[in-house]
Amino acid sequence: MLRIRRFEEAAARAYTRGKISGFLHLYIGQEAIAIATQQAMEPGDRVVSTYRTHGFAIALGSDPKACAAELFGKAAGLVGGVGGSMHFFDKERGLWGGYAIVGNHIPVAAGHAFASQYTGDGRVTLCFMGDGAVGIGPVHEGMTMAGIMKLPIVFVVENNQYSMGTPLKRTLPVEDITARAAGYGFASDRFHVTSVQETRRRLGEAVERARKEGRPTLLELITYRFRGHSMSDPAKYRQKEEVERWRLNDPLERTLMALKTIYQVPEQELDAIDETIVAEMDAAYDFADKAPAPAPEARFENVMAEGPYYGDSATTRPAGVE
């Protein structure tokens, strides 16, 4: 959890220095979910996520240097610098994409689960979304498909209280999102994320249900982001007292306190761990800053349409094609 937080804090600093272009959505406050997910997974299981996905990459073992380089748009990034913050992808470690179009990745995740069911590979897909996604049409379509076909999938709503800047009570008529589970034939669970251990246990139960019974689960994990929706959001729609109240249940701080008071880990040892992690993340961002940009011709790699109709010369195009 500390590695994710320090990575995200370094990302925020780099963004303010103009090193990162586009949007940047930080995972600060939600780290326990990514860690619990990694611990509940088996090799070959898949995570399909939203644009707030740096935490999953770090938790699943992606190299922080490659992650930072992707934020910087560099060739050494996770996907060669073409994805940026919102499109992390590391399939070797089980991360099958961060998706920027809200709610539209749910049918994609259902497709991954269908592939596992079809091939019988025994793998589970974990699909993450924010509370603001649950009213989007493709979410209903993907969940309907998963329920009818009894796919090995776990749908996880990371309810961080705000759909961008709009509170949940203004976006949903019934705030308990898991009330929808019965309509899809899903199992369900709903709880506040204050402990990584409890989150791992309850998420793990859903994963095993999908793996052994082929029954999907809808999980609502009630959490909180301590920064704005993105770096361009000053979060003036919430009070300072609200943020401080949620900080009292920050899983990272609760874990650090437990290590000190219950397990009697010396504070100097914890400080040394933190210093090591800060140095690791500083090195990752220094690497990203110095890494080369993609070659100009990289713009034309992985383009699905090829052929003479797409050349630079008008003479290569048929009549009427602009």
Side-chain angles (χ1 to χ4, degrees), residues 92-310:
E92 298 302 322
R93 292 168 178 81
L95 180 58
W96 285 78
Y99 290 82
I101 307 301
V102 175
N104 277 251
H105 63 294
I106 278 68
V108 174
H112 280 293
F114 173 72
S116 290
Q117 183 190 73
Y118 187 80
T119 61
D121 64 11
R123 303 310 176 197
V124 173
T125 299
L126 295 101
C127 177
F128 292 83
M129 70 197 84
D131 49 280
V134 297
I136 304 297
V139 175
H140 175 63
E141 295 168 2
M143 289 186 177
T144 299
M145 174 183 172
I148 290 173
M149 303 188 73
K150 295 180 170 57
L151 299 180
I153 189 168
V154 179
F155 294 104
V156 183
V157 178
E158 296 181 277
N159 179 356
N160 60 22
Q161 310 305 307
Y162 289 94
S163 304
M164 297 184 71
T166 306
L168 192 67
K169 63 184 178 181
R170 295 184 61 187
T171 61
L172 294 176
V174 177
E175 291 187 30
D176 182 351
I177 294 170
T178 61
R180 304 175 179 216
Y184 300 113
F186 292 177
S188 65
D189 195 7
R190 182 177 191 260
F191 59 94
H192 283 79
V193 177
T194 59
S195 161
V196 68
Q197 292 88 350
E198 181 189 20
T199 306
R200 176 182 62 214
R201 177 180 64 80
R202 296 172 77 162
L203 185 59
E205 290 172 356
V207 170
E208 287 308 297
R209 184 182 300 116
R211 196 184 316 278
K212 295 178 180 178
E213 302 175 20
R215 187 182 181 191
T217 299
L218 176 61
L219 279 171
E220 182 181 358
L221 306 189
I222 301 171
T223 183
Y224 199 77
R225 52 173 168 81
F226 295 128
R227 300 291 187 99
H229 172 72
S230 69
M231 283 295 293
S232 60
D233 173 18
K236 293 182 178 179
Y237 43 82
R238 56 189 184 183
Q239 300 297 315
K240 180 180 178 181
E241 293 76 15
E242 175 187 312
V243 178
E244 293 304 316
R245 186 171 65 251
W246 279 93
R247 283 191 184 278
L248 295 175
N249 285 317
D250 178 4
L252 175 57
E253 294 299 329
R254 287 170 62 92
T255 300
L256 288 170
M257 184 59 66
L259 289 170
K260 294 176 185 177
T261 60
I262 299 175
Y263 298 99
Q264 300 296 308
V265 178
E267 190 162 353
Q268 303 93 306
E269 185 176 338
L270 295 174
D271 289 343
I273 292 171
D274 194 8
E275 290 172 5
T276 299
I277 290 173
V278 169
E280 176 192 13
M281 298 311 164
D282 286 346
Y285 280 86
D286 183 60
F287 168 84
D289 194 26
K290 296 175 181 177
E297 55 269 22
R299 293 175 296 165
F300 305 105
E301 295 175 358
N302 304 309
V303 177
M304 298 187 69
E306 297 181 358
Y309 296 165
Y310 299 92

